[in-house]
Amino acid sequence: MQVQELIANGGAYLGLELGSTRIKAVLIDNGHQVVATGSYGWENRYEGGYWTYHLEDVWTGIQAAYTELAADVKKQYGVTLTKLAGMGFSAMMHGYLPFDKSGALLAPFRTWRNTTTGPAAEALSSRFQFNIPLRWSIAHLYQAMLNGEEHVGSIDFLTTLAGYVHWKLSGKRVLGVGDASGMFPIDSTTGDFDETMVQSFDALAAESGYSWKLRDLLPQVLSAGEDAGCLTEEGAKLLDVSGNLQAGIPMCPPEGDAGTGMAATNAVAERTGNVSAGTSIFAMIVLEKALSKVYPEIDMVTTPDGKPVAMVHCNNCTNEINAWAKLFAQFQEAMGQTVDMNKLFTTMFESALQGDANGGGLVLYNYLSGESITGLDEGRPLFVRGPESEFSFANLMRTQLYSALATLKLGLDILSGEQVAVDRLLGHGGFFKTPVVGQRMMAAAANAAVSVMETAGEGGPWGMAVLAAYAGRKTQGQTLDNYLDTCVFAGQKVTTVEPQAEDLAGFNAFMERYRANLPVERAAVEHYTI
């Protein structure tokens, strides 16, 4: 009855995140507990040489996820959702969404998955003396300039997917600092885009004959808790096709999935870190001090409140596990058996613990798309075994899980060499849904204890709802990390797994094979065609 009254009075908070394969909406109460959810499955497309999503699919998915959430509210509590205390929207970071003055998209959405910006990223990294990854928005913009793409001169607004959704719902061209840090470098002393680098890029643009200034194109940067506008009448109709949702709901700064992952795992304070493992995988470590030099494998981004973060990002994680699960499900169907996908995934993961610690001599590369850390612009999923390999289901699954973490480990080893201290490392995302298994594999990869909270399954959408609550409560003087510690995670159930000696030795042996056989994967990229 308390939840029913809270929702009826507009006291709940909404978080919605557009992930790689799922759009999920989460409604939380004033104690940050999930009270309703909705979701929608979608997939990226490979068109015209780019990984993309169509914008009409964005709204189809958002509307479907919200409609399902509203139906869940009605079913559970008998209440029609009309008012909210606050809301926030997050999405996959990076990418390229350029619009002209009329609001028309000038080029198909180029997502984080694209690795087509090599010359631009290399040139900007050298010019700024700051690592500019291939997927960053500024790399996409400069590559379009280098390519002489006609639309560049007509750009009026450049944003991310979360920034686009927020703009359409609120009319505000703003972006949370965490998401903004995946567009262009942030100066953590100001919480804004680095002005020296902005002026340097403006000089490049002027040399190329463009009249715009970079700050005119980019969204305004906001920190967690700041006012990011309200849901407009048009936005309310766009979000809720039933017309029940009222305009005027406060909106917090839109964030990227990295920022919501940090919020969802209470990893925004110095010496904390988190690993988000789903379609892609990334580790975020909040730094005490700057790294000694620039590393192309390490991205420098920020927390939702602007603290510097070392990020290791890899494009591929669970996609190959999902592909094999689909294959196993088809085999079960061919045998006339009923397929329970949850049981199938649980069996796959738990079987990995029965395999040889080193994976039995098997090697697997889960590269559906390219990986900049290993210098590959394209991917070819590849499974290789020798005549002496121990080919079993358990070893296959152990190798699958190791492979999902292997490229990330290459980056984590760099941070280890920099003596980066981590007091706690928290995992979230689909890789950690099966109890213990994902944590054990991750602990072996990081050589550190890995914790999972009971909210880990909700992940980013829940983290976005928490950021909306933080902004909505107008917490005067309370920092985000203090708010999370005292108001959100106090008493939270946490499961921690320490690295085991056998797993450490086995993962390291697997990594020796993985590194040694990278030329085989490279050859597959160069020579395999359909």
Side-chain angles (χ1 to χ4, degrees):
M1 292 297 293
Q2 288 179 336
V3 174
Q4 182 186 54
E5 184 177 351
L6 179 83
I7 295 173
N9 292 333
Y13 295 91
L14 171 69
L16 188 148
E17 184 162 285
L18 295 96
S20 301
T21 59
R22 188 170 65 148
I23 299 172
K24 185 171 183 181
V26 166
L27 195 69
I28 64 172
D29 62 17
N30 52 6
H32 309 96
Q33 298 299 307
V34 175
V35 296
T37 63
S39 65
Y40 177 82
W42 71 335
E43 289 287 348
N44 56 189
R45 310 163 185 246
Y46 190 71
E47 296 177 346
Y50 294 100
W51 292 100
T52 188
Y53 297 87
H54 292 183
L55 293 192
E56 55 265 31
D57 294 339
V58 170
W59 295 109
T60 297
I62 288 175
Q63 291 165 355
Y66 179 84
T67 297
E68 188 174 281
L69 177 139
D72 191 24
V73 168
K74 186 73 172 178
K75 179 181 179 181
Q76 289 194 70
Y77 311 107
V79 176
T80 298
L81 195 57
T82 61
K83 298 179 291 184
L84 293 165
M87 58 170 49
F89 294 81
S90 55
M92 300 166 280
M93 289 176 68
H94 320 296
Y96 187 68
L97 278 163
F99 298 90
D100 66 14
K101 288 183 178 180
S102 70
L105 184 65
L106 291 168
F109 174 29
R110 299 169 187 176
T111 76
W112 57 270
R113 175 164 264 171
N114 290 287
T115 53
T116 55
T117 60
E122 183 178 355
L124 292 178
S125 296
S126 176
R127 185 179 182 95
F128 295 161
Q129 286 301 292
F130 186 99
N131 180 38
I132 302 295
L134 300 178
R135 65 191 179 281
W136 279 29
S137 305
I138 196 63
H140 282 282
L141 174 60
Y142 190 47
Q143 190 63 53
M145 292 164 59
L146 293 177
N147 294 347
E149 297 184 40
E150 188 176 347
H151 75 268
V152 175
S154 301
I155 299 176
D156 181 65
F157 181 40
L158 177 64
T159 190
T160 64
L161 183 54
Y164 162 71
V165 171
H166 186 96
W167 172 43
K168 288 299 182 182
L169 295 179
S170 71
K172 300 290 186 181
R173 296 183 174 189
V174 300
L175 200 60
V177 63
D179 203 6
S181 69
M183 292 192 77
F184 192 88
I186 294 290
D187 179 352
S188 287
T189 63
T190 65
D192 199 359
F193 296 121
D194 187 290
E195 182 58 28
T196 300
M197 296 183 197
V198 166
Q199 292 182 16
S200 178
F201 191 85
D202 282 343
L204 272 180
E207 290 169 9
S208 300
Y210 298 105
S211 59
W212 45 253
K213 298 290 187 181
L214 187 60
R215 282 193 180 274
D216 294 334
L217 308 188
L218 296 177
Q220 178 189 356
V221 180
L222 298 177
S223 185
E226 292 193 282
D227 179 13
C230 293
L231 184 69
T232 63
E233 292 284 353
E234 296 81 4
K237 293 174 183 175
L238 187 57
L239 176 60
D240 181 11
V241 294
S242 74
N244 292 320
L245 190 65
Q246 299 174 10
I249 298 167
M251 298 182 68
C252 69
E255 262 301 345
D257 50 359
T260 58
M262 284 185 271
T265 53
N266 193 17
V268 300
E270 292 178 355
R271 297 173 64 97
T272 63
N274 80 94
V275 176
S276 174
T279 303
S280 63
I281 184 169
F282 50 83
M284 318 280 294
I285 311 296
V286 186
L287 299 178
E288 294 179 283
K289 60 180 182 178
L291 301 180
S292 65
K293 63 179 182 177
V294 175
Y295 294 95
E297 301 90 348
I298 307 295
D299 306 352
M300 292 305 303
V301 292
T302 79
T303 63
D305 57 346
K307 296 187 186 75
V309 172
M311 178 183 190
V312 182
H313 183 282
C314 308
N315 289 344
N316 303 281
C317 183
T318 60
N319 47 268
E320 194 65 3
I321 296 172
N322 295 339
W324 282 76
K326 184 178 180 180
L327 181 71
F328 296 146
Q330 290 171 350
F331 174 72
Q332 282 187 272
E333 290 171 345
M335 292 284 288
Q337 299 173 1
T338 301
V339 179
D340 180 337
M341 291 306 294
N342 287 329
K343 184 176 181 181
L344 175 58
F345 274 108
T346 299
T347 301
M348 289 171 66
F349 271 68
E350 290 180 344
S351 295
L353 298 183
Q354 309 306 315
D356 296 332
N358 68 357
L362 311 180
V363 180
L364 189 145
Y365 298 93
N366 65 342
Y367 293 178
L368 186 65
S369 59
E371 284 290 2
S372 58
I373 290 180
T374 48
L376 294 171
D377 292 337
E378 297 180 41
R380 300 289 187 275
L382 182 67
F383 172 53
V384 182
R385 62 188 177 96
E388 302 302 319
S389 300
E390 293 293 331
F391 187 33
S392 67
F393 179 66
N395 280 341
L396 172 64
M397 289 316 308
R398 186 102 175 187
T399 300
Q400 288 274 7
L401 301 192
Y402 279 173
S403 173
L405 305 177
T407 313
L408 181 75
K409 178 170 175 57
L410 298 176
L412 291 177
D413 286 347
I414 293 172
L415 295 181
S416 178
E418 281 272 348
Q419 306 300 310
V420 171
V422 183
D423 292 336
R424 64 174 187 255
L425 187 64
L426 294 112
H428 67 107
F431 189 82
F432 297 104
K433 281 189 176 180
T434 302
V436 178
V437 183
Q439 286 173 265
R440 266 188 62 176
M441 301 299 104
M442 188 66 237
N447 192 17
V450 176
S451 300
V452 169
M453 296 181 177
E454 57 187 7
T455 53
E458 301 297 344
W462 180 77
M464 192 68 243
V466 167
L467 289 173
Y470 174 65
R473 293 180 184 184
K474 307 296 183 187
T475 47
Q476 297 296 327
Q478 189 174 24
T479 61
L480 179 60
D481 57 323
N482 180 260
Y483 177 80
L484 294 176
D485 274 340
T486 60
C487 300
V488 181
F489 290 100
Q492 176 74 259
K493 182 181 177 181
V494 178
T495 303
T496 301
V497 171
E498 299 282 344
Q500 299 184 14
E502 183 181 17
D503 292 339
L504 285 169
F507 199 101
N508 287 334
F510 170 81
M511 286 303 299
E512 288 182 16
R513 283 199 311 279
Y514 190 88
R515 290 187 180 95
N517 288 287
L518 272 168
V520 180
E521 170 66 16
R522 189 166 288 109
V525 170
E526 292 173 357
H527 300 293
Y528 175 78
T529 58
I530 296 176

